[in-house]
Amino acid sequence: MAAQRPDPRRPGFAWTFVTRHRTPSLLNEEATMPAQPWFRPDRNVRHPDGDSVQAAHISSMNKASSSTFDPAAPSVAGMSLLSAGPARQVGVEVEFTGLRASAAARALQAGLGGHLVQEDPHAFSVHGSRLGDLSVQLDVRYVHPQAHNASLPLRMGRWSAALLGHVLAGFVPRELILSPLPVQRLAEVDGAVAILREAGARGRGRTRFGSLGLHFNIGLFRLDVTTILAFLRAFLLLEPWLRRETAGEVGRAMFMPGSFPRTYVRQVMAPDYRPDLVAFTDDYLRANPTRDRALDLLPVLQHFDEARVRARLPYEKIGSRPALHYRLPRAFVGEPGWSMMPAWNRWLAVERLAEDPNRLAALSSAYLRFDGSENAWLQLAQVHNGTG
């Protein structure tokens, strides 16, 4: 009786370890083109979109012959091999319009409890709420001189800053900033968003002048260059998929953060790229002297070495913190039923890849061998990370 071939329609097929040829390849052709023979390692093939793909021989990807990775399976509260220990901590920032900072803060205090404090005419904090400390502010540094004057090229007095804030309030979003929460409580942030919506907050992903952002500040238990590099590699490999999903929700790719330079991506993917923290910081700043990246590492690099980062970017808006800053231009505060959790769940695909050094090394090597369009890589990455 002939051996039964794997069913490409079965959930998790893309990560099922197959030993049929003892030499698994980057792309299992049966998953995307069932009528064709299986791919062999080191064989030039033609991708359905017309790109020529060099199928890489990746023995480390399929080392264990009996395991199956199901990308749809829920992560254990976001815990991973890289994050063993006490509860994960994740901060959240959400931008919205239609409600002044003072009114938003009062609504949150009424709904969540806590003590209301005015920091300046356009920034308010609520201390000790049921979601911990939080703040609401007009998202312009110049109107908060007590907090940002040292990093601004033009410094303003309190009166001038307050006047500027009143002028800009009709155009510039407000931002809800929550202190880090245990990851198990992230879904509760949707309740805070509902409070803002009921109080009159608006937002459908963008304004006439830009996006309305949703940002995650993702804490890591091992805060070292090895861990950060693993997360960066995993993110870069999956970024085309993440960008497509995000742009689809926003409806306008023009507001997406800038892409990492391809030369930098290739540098990071190289198997012999093992920098210390100083070299990693210098390489990152040289290639990315901006916070306009979906995975913005400036906050965590400044946390480690503020003088080095500020020497290169003296006036950039950077909030130093021991966390990865994941930026999405897709907050829909004004939409009833909108939740930030789908965006968080997509991020967990990055964590799953980062925590698996064999798969991460295999896909990194495959990326360096790949010769095709971003769309073709997106399809290949989907197959091997189960995101398709």
Side-chain angles (χ1 to χ4, degrees):
M1 180 176 178
Q4 184 177 2
R5 295 174 69 104
D7 182 357
R9 296 165 295 183
R10 179 167 57 81
F13 168 77
W15 276 114
T16 301
F17 295 105
V18 181
T19 57
R20 177 183 177 95
H21 292 294
R22 303 289 181 185
T23 53
S25 64
L26 165 65
L27 175 63
N28 181 338
E29 192 169 9
E30 189 169 8
T32 55
M33 296 177 286
Q36 302 298 324
W38 288 50
F39 276 20
R40 301 298 201 278
D42 303 317
R43 174 184 169 192
N44 284 322
V45 298
R46 177 66 58 179
H47 192 273
D49 72 355
D51 287 291
S52 178
V53 180
Q54 179 75 22
H57 179 194
I58 305 174
S59 59
S60 60
M61 180 178 288
N62 296 334
K63 225 171 191 181
S65 61
S66 60
S67 300
T68 299
F69 173 73
D70 183 359
S75 174
V76 184
M79 303 295 284
S80 71
L81 297 177
L82 292 177
S83 57
R88 283 285 292 284
Q89 297 284 315
V90 180
V92 182
E93 304 169 18
V94 188
E95 295 178 350
F96 60 92
T97 61
L99 191 64
R100 290 188 175 271
S102 56
R106 286 195 296 270
L108 290 167
Q109 180 197 28
L112 299 173
H115 177 61
L116 181 65
V117 176
Q118 178 175 330
E119 309 292 348
D120 65 47
H122 304 287
F124 297 81
S125 298
V126 179
H127 299 292
S129 82
R130 288 196 294 277
L131 288 179
D133 294 343
L134 57 88
S135 63
V136 183
Q137 61 185 33
L138 191 66
D139 193 21
V140 180
R141 287 184 294 165
Y142 286 95
V143 306
H144 310 296
Q146 79 286 353
H148 297 290
N149 251 355
S151 62
L152 294 173
L154 176 63
R155 301 186 181 186
M156 304 186 70
R158 290 179 178 269
W159 185 88
S160 299
L163 180 60
L164 178 62
H166 286 296
V167 172
L168 296 178
F171 310 97
V172 174
R174 263 62 71 191
E175 185 175 33
L176 168 64
I177 305 171
L178 291 105
S179 297
L181 289 165
V183 72
Q184 297 93 331
R185 300 189 62 194
L186 270 182
E188 296 179 40
V189 177
D190 285 341
V193 170
I195 291 172
L196 292 176
R197 185 185 306 117
E198 292 169 5
R202 299 291 179 262
R204 301 185 64 183
R206 59 186 175 86
T207 70
R208 189 176 303 175
F209 308 103
S211 67
L212 292 171
L214 168 66
H215 302 171
F216 293 104
N217 297 308
I218 303 163
L220 302 173
F221 286 110
R222 284 216 304 268
L223 201 60
D224 55 40
V225 68
T226 301
T227 303
I228 294 170
L229 180 57
F231 272 82
L232 177 60
R233 282 173 169 155
F235 178 82
L236 292 173
L237 289 165
L238 296 181
E239 186 177 20
W241 170 70
L242 292 167
R243 292 176 73 86
R244 186 195 65 180
E245 296 296 307
T246 302
E249 292 181 355
V250 173
R252 285 194 179 185
M254 62 180 291
F255 292 136
M256 294 290 294
S259 298
F260 286 86
R262 188 163 185 176
T263 53
Y264 178 71
V265 177
R266 295 186 67 83
Q267 178 185 16
V268 168
M269 295 300 166
D272 59 351
Y273 184 64
R274 300 187 185 93
D276 60 17
L277 182 60
V278 171
F280 179 80
T281 301
D282 288 343
D283 290 342
Y284 185 90
L285 292 173
R286 189 180 303 110
N288 308 281
T290 175
R291 66 190 182 99
D292 186 31
R293 296 289 182 265
L295 187 61
D296 176 14
L297 298 187
L298 293 178
V300 69
L301 295 180
Q302 181 165 294
H303 169 77
F304 282 119
D305 194 340
E306 182 172 3
R308 184 173 296 274
V309 174
R310 282 301 178 190
R312 182 64 186 263
L313 301 170
Y315 303 123
E316 190 77 8
K317 182 183 178 182
I318 307 171
S320 178
R321 58 178 71 90
L324 306 179
H325 189 53
Y326 180 36
R327 303 171 64 243
L328 300 102
R330 37 103 43 221
F332 294 81
V333 172
E335 293 287 343
W338 174 75
S339 170
M340 66 171 196
M341 293 308 293
W344 173 253
N345 289 335
R346 284 194 292 271
W347 165 262
L348 292 181
V350 175
E351 297 208 359
R352 294 185 187 107
L353 182 55
E355 72 186 14
D356 190 322
N358 288 338
R359 291 192 183 101
L360 183 59
L363 272 178
S364 298
S365 177
Y367 180 89
L368 294 174
R369 294 170 182 250
F370 177 77
D371 182 18
S373 71
E374 182 178 277
N375 184 59
W377 173 256
L378 185 153
Q379 295 184 48
L380 296 181
Q382 283 181 217
V383 168
H384 279 280
N385 203 49
T387 53

